[in-house]
Amino acid sequence: QVQLVESGGGSVQAGGSLRLSCAASGYTARTYMGWFRQAPGKEREGVAAIERDGTTNYADSVKGRFTISQDNARNTVYLQMNSLKPEDTGIYYCAADFRAGLRTGKPRTSEFGYWGQGTQVTVSS
């Protein structure tokens, strides 16, 4: 059974940084992992994603501020978030998928079949 466990969320002032981690278990070869976020009253939106070969995709709103990376040996994906803004506030979810395919642009929920429980990120002004 696939399990994704996020950690690293918290509260920070605008301009600060946080690093999220997602530890995956229950499988051996995922093809795509990503981070999404959901603010109160809004739809879940893609933030960043990474293919197993290291190719990355980002939402325009986080380009230059967020960096997704991975440690394939540990089945762990990270999201380094710098220059945080109040609008980055939300629950951040890790996601994974195992299907082959060409994925470009902002990550989409339809591209992922497995989800973590989420971790809260709060950025105050």
Side-chain angles (χ1 to χ4, degrees):
Q1 184 175 352
V2 176
Q3 282 193 316
L4 303 173
V5 180
E6 303 98 333
S7 62
S11 297
V12 65
Q13 289 193 324
S17 298
L18 285 173
R19 188 193 195 207
L20 306 182
S21 299
C22 173
S25 62
Y27 62 85
T28 57
R30 54 75 179 173
T31 58
Y32 201 40
M33 288 192 75
W35 287 96
F36 288 72
R37 66 188 179 192
Q38 189 165 18
K42 294 189 176 181
E43 291 188 354
R44 192 171 297 189
E45 65 168 346
V47 174
I50 188 166
E51 299 277 5
R52 192 168 183 84
D53 67 2
T55 303
T56 57
N57 293 312
Y58 291 94
D60 288 343
S61 60
V62 305
K63 283 180 181 177
R65 300 189 298 122
F66 291 12
T67 302
I68 188 170
S69 61
Q70 62 188 355
D71 183 339
N72 288 335
R74 290 184 169 86
N75 268 341
T76 300
V77 172
Y78 307 95
L79 185 68
Q80 178 66 44
M81 304 185 294
N82 298 328
S83 302
L84 282 162
K85 304 175 181 180
E87 51 264 43
D88 294 318
T89 294
I91 300 174
Y92 281 67
Y93 296 92
C94 177
D97 203 75
F98 303 89
R99 296 167 288 184
L102 176 63
R103 292 159 286 222
T104 61
K106 183 178 178 179
R108 305 167 185 82
T109 55
S110 59
E111 295 171 332
F112 296 87
Y114 297 89
W115 296 86
Q117 294 299 306
T119 185
Q120 178 70 44
V121 171
T122 303
V123 184
S124 58
S125 56

